[in-house]
Amino acid sequence: MLLRGATRLNKGVPTETCAALFESRGADFQPISVLPSKSQADFDATPTTPRPKGYKRKWGDVRTAPHSRGFCTVPSKGSFENYVEWARNTLKRARQDPSADLVSDLFYALLKNEQLAKATKNTPFLSEVSGLAATVAHTMNPAQVLLIFRTFSKLMCLHAGLLDTVAESVIGSGDLGCFSTDDLCFMLSALAKLRRGRVKMENQGFVLFPSEEKFVKMVVSELVDSRMERLTGDELSRMLYVLAPLGFGESEVLGKLTRQIESRRYIHAFSEKELSNMIYAYAMMGSSDRFVVEILANELTQMKRRPNLLPGDVAMSIYSLGRLGHGHLKQVINQLSNVLLLPNFISNARNEELASIVYGFGKLGHKNREVFDMLLREVLKPKRLDSLGGCEIVSILHGMASVAHRNETAVRALSKAFMASLELRQTKELCGVVYAWGQLLHQDGDVLKKILLEFMKLERRPTIKAGEVAIVIHALGLLGFQGQQTIKEIVEIWLTPDMVEKYTEKGLSMLVFGLALCRFNDRRVIQRLLEEVVKSDRLPKMSTAGISNCVYGLGYAGIKDKRLMGLLAVEAVKPKRAGSMEEQHLAIMIYSLGKMGFKHVCMGILMQMAVEPTRLESFTNQGLSNILYGLAIVGFDRHDLIQIFSRELTRKERLKSMSERHLTLAVYSLGKLRIKDRNVVDALLSYVIRQGYIEKIASGGLLQVFMGLSKLSYDNIHVIRVLVEEITRRQKMAKLKSHEVSKVMRALGMLHVDENSGVEGLVKDIVESVSLGDLSAKDLVRMADGLKEMKISKGIEFSKKFIDEMKRRMEKGKARWPTVCL
């Protein structure tokens, strides 16, 4: 999103016909998108007039500004061909007798005539005009200097020699008094825009021209030290906006501007546009100063301002608060949401504004379904949908994914619109849409394959970054993508041993997680990635979320490498990480380490962290049940910690919202851990056997309940009878597998159910409905052992039926007596 008021990039492409009208002289002019990084050739190609050491200019000695003489030579009317003819003739005169006035006329014409600007943008004409201007820059007055910045800002082009000469001229004067505050702010905005327009630089030392840093410091110093009190709201917002791209983020200058905003007694004097622009500027800098942003946000949402708010103000504020992670400002967010409900407000918003609102709400975790649905209805209008850009579609999908707003109709419509121009999409947009699908668990195999084919095209490969590969692999893992050949090709291209070092710590964790969930069959690749992760210079930089992803990937891939597990676990429990570990990551760590049978002192430390009062209520139901399962697998023996944890499960608020899967898993885990807390177990089972609920539980879940109760020697006959009735009903309907029936019988035997339990008739029904031919050897033995241990009248008789079948198979050499357990 651009700061409003800034000149936008002109997307027009000059035609060959217009470009051919101008003669070529050759110079160092280049469009901003293709400038080489730190190219000294750019700085030196254009000769400049030498100045004596210590040279000082006096603006009063320079001729009048070009606009004061009315640009009498620039045609105000006529055909475009006449305009081009005038430009060519003026250029000839400037060649013969270069002057600041003539070259300023040409720059003014480019600034005001959009058709001429389009036609000459990437031609030798503009390059030559810039070169001529550089030779006379030392004679330009302030208005002409400003004109150079305005033109380059509009065309998004750069002539390093000219800008350097102009900047040196200003520095040499030592006097900025002839420039208005608005002029100075604009020059900074122009330089910031040129920087943002370039391909992102990895080298932070990059400069547009040699004297840029010195020039910028001089202008900033003038504004902050001499004119601070006179800065208007618009000028303050523009200053804030340019600080980060110009290298002043989190600097003393930012501190002074922030104090100026906080100290103003009449903050209500700022307009809505100025307030939202300042909030946006802080977001772009990633400012850690929450106080000033809250002041600005609270002022913006005052009731008296609502009638004056425009869609752009709301969009910019929501997007910015989301970028800053200010989800705690509930009142502000709700007030901005209410503004969206005003008649025709959303319909008047532009596409990029709608996308920014959805994305911002997602980052804020704002789950107002009414507002989301209203925004999506507007987005899905046919005309609106057809006009959405790729970046806008990705932003909307990301916003939906961040709050798990799974509107399948909207996702399909947006995905279809994205696919309509697939070949024109940028690589980062391809990655973004796949990542959003992964977060939304949107399954569409054919469309996903088309995206991956486009992503892997030969012409795209040289420009694809390591982080983009990591995002795609991570998303494929979330989607459970099983195309082994496609993943193998990605690995062979971008995950070779020499390329692994190029990935960041976050990228490595995403790769491990994604490849594991895709069940990639070459575990050596995952192990190679993990070896890179645990390097001494890498592991301390890894985020807690990254460590939990790596541990989860280890467990999911079945790589039981105790050394790797130990290094990751020890790093995770370091005191410095205690405050940063979120409940989700803590649950993943305990679950994954437990599942891999990792008995280590770190498990105790992790559980101590989990039972902290400030954390316990923050765990999701899935997190709680997964932790108990992990502890059950590893045989964790700190029952005091487990009981604290298990009691959290029995809170009514939790039980009401707990899914069948998480409830049955919790019962099984408590049984395996031998936690004989009758109050906890009874509370869980009271929800399991509810009418209308037990029918929804999967057969595997019911089996887990029986297995858990058998470990606890549970003796509540009423609960057992209800469970057996449900098993009998499913068996009669042929909904149970043979091994599930045999395990239920074995569990009932371990519970020693007797004639008084009232289940004998139900057991008889199950035995009579079972087909011996469908049972494996292990199933036969389980059935026999379970029935023999039941204290029912026909238990031995029923058991003999299965023992005889087992003996018959052994006599024929079809089976051997197996060793079985529940």
Side-chain angles (χ1 to χ4, degrees):
M1 180 184 288
L2 293 174
L3 187 70
R4 285 160 298 159
T7 308
R8 294 183 176 276
L9 175 61
N10 193 324
K11 295 182 180 178
V13 179
T15 64
E16 294 181 4
T17 304
C18 296
L21 292 171
F22 305 104
E23 298 177 21
S24 173
R25 283 291 183 92
D28 70 338
F29 166 82
Q30 288 185 323
I32 200 75
S33 58
V34 295
L35 253 179
S37 180
K38 295 185 86 172
S39 171
Q40 193 60 38
D42 279 337
F43 304 147
D44 301 335
T46 304
T48 58
T49 304
R51 293 185 294 275
K53 191 174 181 180
Y55 170 79
K56 290 284 184 180
R57 292 189 54 190
K58 293 184 180 179
W59 292 111
D61 297 340
V62 184
R63 287 171 289 177
T64 57
H67 54 72
S68 64
R69 57 188 178 86
F71 283 95
C72 56
T73 66
V74 180
S76 57
K77 295 181 181 179
S79 66
F80 177 60
E81 287 73 16
N82 290 339
Y83 216 102
V84 170
E85 187 63 27
W86 167 86
R88 186 163 60 176
N89 291 334
T90 306
L91 178 58
K92 286 181 179 179
R93 289 170 55 201
R95 287 175 189 157
Q96 296 167 359
D97 184 18
S99 70
D101 290 339
L102 285 176
V103 294
S104 296
D105 281 352
L106 290 167
F107 272 103
Y108 183 79
L110 292 170
L111 183 67
K112 293 300 180 183
N113 191 297
E114 187 172 349
Q115 196 174 3
L116 182 67
K118 285 182 181 180
T120 60
K121 181 178 177 183
N122 295 325
T123 67
F125 170 80
L126 184 54
S127 180
E128 186 172 0
V129 172
S130 299
L132 288 169
T135 64
V136 296
H138 63 287
T139 66
M140 288 182 177
N141 58 41
Q144 291 168 334
V145 169
L146 184 65
L147 182 63
I148 300 297
F149 282 91
R150 286 189 182 280
T151 307
F152 283 154
S153 175
K154 178 181 178 180
L155 299 181
M156 280 302 289
C157 297
L158 174 68
H159 188 286
L162 174 55
L163 281 180
D164 188 46
T165 307
V166 168
E168 285 287 358
S169 181
V170 174
I171 295 168
S173 73
D175 177 21
L176 295 176
C178 292
F179 291 96
S180 70
T181 302
D182 185 67
D183 293 343
L184 295 176
C185 287
F186 184 86
M187 285 192 284
L188 292 178
S189 297
L191 291 177
K193 184 182 175 185
L194 290 170
R195 273 182 168 271
R196 285 191 298 270
R198 282 210 49 171
V199 176
K200 284 189 177 180
M201 301 81 66
E202 293 183 4
N203 186 344
Q204 295 300 314
F206 169 81
V207 289
L208 293 171
F209 50 90
S211 58
E212 180 197 6
E213 184 178 353
K214 191 175 179 182
F215 174 75
V216 169
K217 283 184 178 179
M218 179 180 181
V219 175
V220 170
S221 177
E222 171 71 18
L223 289 169
V224 174
D225 297 334
S226 304
R227 308 192 189 191
M228 179 70 83
E229 296 297 329
R230 302 196 302 275
L231 290 177
T232 65
D234 181 59
E235 290 162 350
L236 263 176
S237 66
R238 287 161 66 188
M239 278 286 292
L240 284 171
Y241 182 71
V242 303
L243 288 183
L246 292 179
F248 286 89
E250 297 294 345
S251 64
E252 184 181 349
V253 173
L254 174 61
K256 289 181 179 180
L257 288 172
T258 299
R259 287 191 293 274
Q260 177 68 12
I261 294 170
E262 293 173 348
S263 65
R264 292 203 174 187
R265 304 169 98 185
Y266 305 106
I267 196 169
H268 60 267
F270 289 123
S271 69
E272 290 74 23
K273 174 184 173 181
E274 291 163 356
L275 289 168
S276 59
N277 277 351
M278 284 190 279
I279 295 171
Y280 180 65
Y282 277 106
M284 292 302 99
M285 287 185 287
S287 174
S288 57
D289 193 332
R290 287 176 171 260
F291 181 65
V292 68
V293 175
E294 290 180 16
I295 290 176
L296 296 169
N298 284 318
E299 177 60 31
L300 181 68
T301 52
Q302 294 294 315
M303 185 66 72
K304 64 183 178 181
R305 290 188 179 272
R306 292 190 188 180
N308 302 324
L309 285 172
L310 299 174
D313 302 324
V314 176
M316 189 172 283
S317 301
I318 292 172
Y319 174 83
S320 304
L321 293 173
R323 281 283 298 262
L324 290 167
H326 282 2
H328 62 287
L329 298 177
K330 301 295 185 185
Q331 186 177 355
V332 169
I333 297 166
N334 289 332
Q335 288 170 342
L336 290 171
S337 295
N338 293 336
V339 174
L340 298 176
L341 300 175
L342 295 174
N344 300 321
F345 192 88
I346 286 181
S347 59
N348 291 330
R350 294 181 301 170
N351 290 345
E352 66 176 52
E353 291 165 351
L354 287 174
S356 296
I357 291 170
V358 176
Y359 180 84
F361 275 149
K363 298 292 281 186
L364 290 166
H366 185 61
K367 299 181 180 180
N368 188 324
R369 195 165 191 87
E370 179 187 2
V371 172
F372 256 93
D373 287 340
M374 184 176 61
L375 288 165
L376 292 176
R377 281 196 299 272
E378 177 63 32
V379 166
L380 296 182
K381 288 179 179 178
K383 287 186 178 180
R384 177 83 75 171
L385 189 60
D386 292 341
S387 63
L388 286 174
C391 187
E392 292 157 355
I393 292 173
V394 171
S395 295
I396 293 169
L397 289 172
H398 271 256
M400 295 171 64
S402 297
V403 292
H405 188 85
R406 293 189 174 94
N407 184 327
E408 192 62 24
T409 302
V411 174
R412 287 191 178 280
L414 289 165
S415 301
K416 184 178 179 181
F418 184 87
M419 297 296 293
S421 303
L422 184 59
E423 293 183 356
L424 301 178
R425 302 302 185 195
Q426 297 179 37
T427 303
K428 65 179 181 180
E429 293 172 353
L430 297 178
C431 299
V433 81
V434 173
Y435 184 76
W437 287 345
Q439 297 292 318
L440 290 165
L441 303 179
H442 172 67
Q443 298 285 354
D444 193 333
D446 293 337
V447 174
L448 181 59
K449 287 177 182 176
K450 290 179 182 177
I451 289 270
L452 292 176
L453 286 173
E454 182 64 33
F455 178 77
M456 296 174 66
K457 279 186 176 178
L458 287 172
E459 56 267 30
R460 285 187 184 270
R461 291 181 187 179
T463 62
I464 292 176
K465 300 174 183 176
E468 292 170 338
V469 177
I471 287 172
V472 169
I473 291 290
H474 184 267
L476 293 178
L478 291 173
L479 292 170
F481 183 72
Q482 298 298 309
Q484 294 293 313
Q485 185 58 38
T486 302
I487 298 173
K488 185 179 179 181
E489 287 181 31
I490 293 175
V491 168
E492 289 174 351
I493 298 168
W494 289 292
L495 290 181
T496 55
D498 58 321
M499 291 189 69
V500 167
E501 297 178 357
K502 297 180 180 179
Y503 288 87
T504 63
E505 288 73 28
K506 181 179 180 181
L508 289 170
S509 69
M510 293 175 80
L511 289 169
V512 171
F513 180 88
L515 290 173
L517 265 65
C518 287
R519 299 187 182 280
F520 185 54
N521 48 29
D522 190 348
R523 293 182 180 179
R524 293 172 301 175
V525 175
I526 300 175
Q527 218 152 357
R528 185 166 67 232
L529 292 169
L530 286 166
E531 290 293 347
E532 183 67 26
V533 166
V534 299
K535 284 183 176 178
S536 58
D537 60 333
R538 285 272 203 179
L539 193 53
K541 299 176 186 177
M542 180 76 72
S543 68
T544 307
I547 292 176
S548 69
N549 276 346
C550 289
V551 172
Y552 186 81
L554 262 175
Y556 205 92
I559 302 173
K560 295 185 178 181
D561 188 318
K562 290 186 178 181
R563 182 181 66 85
L564 291 174
M565 286 189 280
L567 289 170
L568 292 167
V570 169
E571 180 63 33
V573 299
K574 285 184 177 178
K576 66 178 182 180
R577 293 185 180 272
S580 65
M581 185 175 287
E582 297 179 7
E583 288 71 30
Q584 176 189 358
H585 306 139
L586 186 54
I588 290 173
M589 288 285 296
I590 297 173
Y591 166 77
S592 302
L593 292 172
K595 189 179 176 183
M596 289 187 288
F598 184 68
K599 291 186 177 181
H600 194 279
V601 67
C602 290
M603 289 293 283
I605 299 173
L606 290 169
M607 274 303 293
Q608 289 280 9
M609 294 167 62
V611 298
E612 291 174 4
T614 54
R615 284 188 182 274
L616 206 51
E617 293 185 6
S618 301
F619 283 104
T620 62
N621 293 334
Q622 180 182 2
L624 289 173
S625 61
N626 282 351
I627 286 175
L628 284 175
Y629 181 73
L631 296 175
I633 298 299
V634 79
F636 189 68
D637 56 3
R638 288 287 305 275
H639 283 198
D640 56 331
L641 297 179
I642 297 171
Q643 285 183 318
I644 294 172
F645 208 73
S646 60
R647 286 173 192 143
E648 174 62 25
L649 284 167
T650 60
R651 286 196 302 113
K652 286 187 178 180
E653 296 80 5
R654 279 205 183 272
L655 287 173
K656 287 178 181 178
S657 62
M658 192 169 288
S659 70
E660 301 87 5
R661 180 175 176 274
H662 300 147
L663 194 56
T664 56
L665 185 61
V667 174
Y668 169 79
S669 301
L670 290 173
K672 195 168 177 62
L673 287 164
R674 306 295 198 279
I675 304 298
K676 296 183 179 181
D677 188 327
R678 190 61 178 259
N679 293 331
V680 172
V681 177
D682 283 346
L684 294 173
L685 290 172
S686 67
Y687 274 79
V688 170
I689 64 173
R690 283 180 301 163
Q691 188 174 3
Y693 189 90
I694 192 171
E695 293 83 1
K696 297 178 183 178
I697 298 176
S699 297
L702 280 178
L703 178 59
Q704 285 182 326
V705 172
F706 275 105
M707 294 168 71
L709 296 182
S710 68
K711 301 288 186 183
L712 295 171
S713 302
Y714 190 72
D715 59 359
N716 188 321
I717 300 302
H718 170 66
V719 172
I720 294 173
R721 181 176 177 80
V722 173
L723 291 169
V724 175
E725 285 175 349
E726 178 60 25
I727 286 291
T728 305
R729 184 184 69 82
R730 295 188 186 195
Q731 174 63 13
K732 288 180 178 179
M733 297 174 67
K735 289 186 175 181
L736 289 178
K737 297 176 181 178
S738 57
H739 74 275
E740 292 172 338
V741 176
S742 68
K743 287 184 177 181
V744 168
M745 290 295 104
R746 184 73 180 92
L748 288 172
M750 293 174 69
L751 288 169
H752 303 295
V753 293
D754 55 24
E755 295 174 346
N756 298 324
S757 64
V759 301
E760 184 171 0
L762 299 173
V763 170
K764 179 182 177 182
D765 291 340
I766 293 173
V767 170
E768 291 177 349
S769 64
V770 169
S771 172
L772 293 177
D774 293 337
L775 298 175
S776 67
K778 286 187 176 182
D779 293 334
L780 289 170
V781 174
R782 285 196 193 100
M783 293 288 287
D785 289 348
L787 289 164
K788 185 169 60 177
E789 292 180 15
M790 293 183 201
K791 296 178 180 179
I792 56 177
S793 59
K794 292 190 176 183
I796 302 297
E797 180 184 337
F798 290 154
S799 176
K800 188 174 183 302
K801 172 183 175 181
F802 297 99
I803 292 175
D804 289 346
E805 173 62 20
M806 188 63 204
K807 288 180 177 178
R808 187 182 67 80
R809 292 188 187 183
M810 291 175 68
E811 288 172 0
K812 291 184 177 182
K814 293 182 177 180
R816 287 185 297 179
W817 195 274
T819 302
V820 298
C821 61
L822 182 58

